Amino acid sequence: DESEYVRRGAVEVLNEVVTIDAIKDLVDALRDADWWVRVRSADALGTLGGPRVVEAVLELTRDPDEFARRYAIEILNTLPDPRAVPALIAALDDEDWWVRERAVDALGKAGDPSAVEPILRMMGRDTRTLPLCVRALGAIGSPSVVEPLCRLVDSEDTDTRREALQALVALAQKDLPDEARQSIVTVLDKAGLRVARS
């Protein structure tokens, strides 16, 4: 509507409605000329929460509008939900670099081991994302990340090496199978870092 007061009222109503269309409208309202409309839209998107919001946002991860996809991924970053993992994995192939990178962050927070292989594939496609992906693998923390992280300690990229070492130090504190733990201890010893042996 041309009237900012009508738009403000509409955003207030949308604050109470959790549907795919309502959330898309709130995302679109983040571009409104009126600061109040933008702020209330952001408030609504940040506080709605719950399973219905996740379901609605999952649809937006495939929206043709990159702005909508970016906000969808941001919302999934703040509302970790196992149902979002397949959509986040699909977002690793998004044409927008920002969507791809924020999806990596969200997958790290989700901690689902099914994301390990897709993240490793992404690392092979885009070396600029190596440190970010290594951090996410460390956050996932499953035994399946140990071998790739051990290899990445020898990376030519300084940031990647640092992230891999930090991730391995954190993993060494977890309850891991003996073989994985021994691999970590060996790599960290070689790097001059000591961990308590259990």
Side-chain angles (χ1 to χ4, degrees):
D1 196 278
E2 290 182 13
S3 165
E4 70 184 39
Y5 297 104
V6 171
R7 294 198 311 276
R8 287 181 179 191
V11 166
E12 288 304 320
V13 173
L14 290 172
N15 270 332
E16 305 299 324
V17 181
V18 184
T19 65
I20 294 166
D21 290 338
I23 290 175
K24 175 105 166 66
D25 288 339
L26 286 170
V27 167
D28 288 341
L30 293 170
R31 293 186 264 210
D32 198 275
D34 179 43
W35 68 271
W36 195 91
V37 171
R38 291 193 307 270
V39 168
R40 292 298 291 145
S41 298
D43 285 348
L45 289 168
T47 58
L48 282 172
R52 289 175 61 204
V53 170
V54 172
E55 289 163 18
V57 169
L58 289 176
E59 292 291 320
L60 289 180
T61 63
R62 297 186 298 273
D63 196 276
D65 181 2
E66 78 177 26
F67 188 80
R69 293 195 312 276
R70 286 183 174 195
Y71 273 93
I73 295 295
E74 276 309 313
I75 292 167
L76 293 176
N77 252 309
T78 60
L79 300 170
D81 189 298
R83 292 171 301 159
V85 170
L88 292 169
I89 289 172
L92 296 177
D93 293 319
D94 196 278
E95 61 190 31
D96 180 34
W97 67 270
W98 198 91
V99 171
R100 291 191 307 270
E101 292 190 8
R102 295 301 286 148
V104 171
D105 286 340
L107 286 167
K109 289 178 186 173
D112 190 318
S114 68
V116 172
E117 284 304 317
I119 290 173
L120 290 173
R121 285 195 298 275
M122 181 177 179
M123 292 167 69
R125 289 192 311 269
D126 186 356
T127 56
R128 293 172 304 151
T129 65
L130 280 171
L132 177 69
C133 290
V134 170
R135 196 174 314 126
L137 291 173
I140 290 170
S142 70
S144 60
V145 304
V146 172
E147 191 269 331
L149 288 175
C150 287
R151 277 189 284 116
L152 288 163
V153 167
D154 295 324
S155 171
E156 293 178 11
D157 180 69
T158 305
D159 292 335
T160 300
R161 280 195 315 271
R162 183 185 67 248
E163 291 290 346
L165 285 169
Q166 287 175 353
L168 289 171
V169 167
L171 278 170
Q173 309 308 314
K174 293 190 173 193
D175 185 23
L176 294 170
D178 289 342
E179 186 179 341
R181 182 167 178 70
Q182 189 52 51
S183 295
I184 293 173
V185 168
T186 301
V187 168
L188 293 179
D189 279 351
K190 185 178 171 190
L193 298 168
R194 299 284 180 253
V195 294
R197 297 172 193 269
S198 58

